[in-house]
């Protein structure tokens, strides 16, 4: 404590680092009891992710009214939804630095206000540029300030049930999709698409209270099994990368495996957002009613929630391996994307939507566990921020490219065929990363012997 006080007096520690040091002292000095206020933080984070991801995944509900009102092409309008996710993804590395300096509470509260303002601006759009400014840029920036704090703060309140608590927060995206898509549709039927966006802005503003509940955690930055798997092995000196990624991540021997994971994750994200935007239109082209088509997105949301809870529980078990779980579920999700393009029955659409939602939910929930297993808890924040930025790149390209394919070929089902091809490529990268990680672990075990 004397050394810590000297550092603090010299101004060498950021606010977040002081919170982490004080939290570690608290855990080491007292009997640790899991839960308590941590569950309130889980609820607050859950609600934030529920609102922001629910709005992002429900853009397909607005697509047809915007086509009729603004008169733009399907590919151009699809850019608004994907660009929103892209902006909050691109902002994640910057948000990670903000969190390190100010903690999680203040960025989340400011982000809630910014996202509400963005949706309000979008509701007055008369052309594509105003829509992109309000819905994509301003709202996306606000969501970026809300998302990363909501995910990272939970790990600082839990030790034994860390993956389960994180999985609960991440499953909010599925709940949000299930709630927000019908809610946005209902508000649109009553007030039009402009009134619907204003109603969503009010929900974002309410997340200010959720951000206020995100108190600093009381758990050390080490995993329950020690410092993190990725930090205990030999390091590799990479001075150039250290200037960009930070020395801890850049010099980790597990960095090549992380890059393979990031590529697989980016491709899976590119594929993931295509069904959320184009599945309702593809289903309606086969004769499915508009209300039933909107229900398909909700079905993906519900089963996505179950998948995230399942993976959260599995990753806390000693026999599980998060990277193997991710590789398996991504590979199993590929056939359903191709099947979407050939079925014509609502019940087949519904079954495939549920299966796809469950499997991709497991992938999303297992990702933080895979990062902790590979690189250790201290690097969860920066590595998850980099993954989120990569996801932003992918989300920016997926739906617009699929929309252009539909405009070019005149077949709405081709968007889903494209999604299947991209997900196939993602599964190959994940398989290579799983093999490379297994060899790395075997080599390190041999060296220890």
């Amino acid at each position: 404590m004397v050394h810590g006080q000297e550092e603090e007096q010299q101004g060498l520690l950021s606010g977040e680092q002081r919170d982490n040091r004080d939290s570690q002292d608290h855990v080491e000095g007292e009997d640790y009891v899991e839960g308590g206020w941590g569950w309130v933080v889980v609820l607050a984070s859950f609600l934030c992710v529920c609102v922001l991801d629910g709005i992002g995944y429900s853009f397909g509900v607005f697509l047809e009214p915007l086509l009729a009102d603004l008169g733009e092409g399907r590919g151009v309008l699809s850019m608004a939804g994907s660009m929103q996710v892209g902006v909050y993804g691109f902002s994640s590395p910057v948000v990670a630095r903000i969190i390190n300096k100010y903690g999680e509470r203040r960025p989340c509260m400011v982000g809630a206000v910014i996202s509400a303002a963005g949706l309000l601006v979008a509701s007055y759009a008369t052309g594509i540029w105003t829509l992109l400014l309000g819905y994509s840029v301003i709202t996306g920036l606000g969501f970026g300030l809300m998302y990363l704090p909501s995910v990272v703060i939970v790990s600082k309140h839990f030790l034994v049930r860390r993956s389960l608590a994180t999985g609960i927060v991440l499953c909010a995206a599925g709940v949000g999709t299930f709630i927000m898509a019908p809610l946005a549709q209902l508000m649109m039927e009553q007030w039009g698409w402009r009134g619907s966006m204003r109603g969503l802005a009010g929900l974002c503003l309410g997340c200010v209270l959720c951000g206020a509940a995100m108190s600093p955690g009381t758990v050390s930055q080490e995993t329950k099994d020690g410092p993190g798997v990725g930090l205990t092995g030999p390091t590799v000196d990479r001075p150039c990368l250290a200037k960009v990624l930070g020395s801890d991540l850049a010099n980790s021997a597990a960095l090549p495996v992380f890059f393979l994971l990031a590529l697989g994750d980016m491709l899976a994200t590119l594929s993931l957002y295509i069904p959320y935007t184009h599945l309702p239109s593809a289903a309606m082209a086969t004769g499915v009613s508009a209300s039933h088509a909107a229900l398909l997105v909700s079905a993906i949301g519900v089963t996505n929630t179950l998948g995230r809870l399942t993976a959260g529980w599995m990753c806390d078990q000693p026999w599980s391996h998060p990277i193997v779980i991710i590789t398996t579920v991504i590979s199993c999700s590929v056939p359903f994307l191709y099947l979407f393009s050939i079925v014509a029955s609502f019940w087949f659409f519904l079954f495939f939507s549920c299966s796809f939602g469950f499997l991709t939910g497991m992938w999303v929930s297992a990702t933080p566990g895979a990062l902790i297993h590979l690189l250790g808890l201290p690097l969860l924040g920066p590595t998850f921020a980099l993954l989120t930025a990569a996801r932003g790149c992918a989300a920016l390209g997926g739906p617009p490219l699929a929309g252009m394919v539909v405009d070019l070929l005149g077949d709405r089902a081709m968007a889903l065929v494209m999604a299947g091809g991209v997900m196939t490529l993602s599964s190959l990268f994940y398989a290579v990363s799983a093999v490379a990680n297994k060899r790395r672990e075997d080599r390190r075990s041999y060296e220890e012997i």
Side-chain angles (χ1 to χ4, degrees), residues 7-26:
E7 286 182 327
E8 186 169 345
Q9 290 169 356
Q10 295 171 5
L12 298 178
L13 294 181
S14 68
E16 179 66 9
Q17 288 169 331
R18 285 193 297 270
D19 287 340
N20 291 340
R21 192 208 66 212
D22 294 341
S23 298
Q24 183 171 349
D25 292 340
H26 174 77

Side-chain angles (χ1 to χ4, degrees), residues 29 37 151 213 280 313 442:
W37 186 258
V151 175
W313 173 82
D442 290 344

Side-chain angles (χ1 to χ4, degrees), residues 242-260:
K243 296 178 181 179
V244 179
L245 303 177
S247 59
D248 289 339
L249 177 58
N251 296 334
S252 172
L255 184 64
V257 181
F258 170 72
F259 280 146
L260 288 171

Side-chain angles (χ1 to χ4, degrees), residues 309-322:
L309 286 173
T310 302
W313 173 82
M314 289 178 65
C315 288
D316 277 331
Q317 307 307 309
W319 45 262
S320 70
H321 196 301

Side-chain angles (χ1 to χ4, degrees), residues 305-315 358 362 365:
T305 300
L306 297 176
R308 295 185 186 209
L309 286 173
T310 302
W313 173 82
M314 289 178 65
C315 288
F358 182 82
M362 290 188 69
S365 185

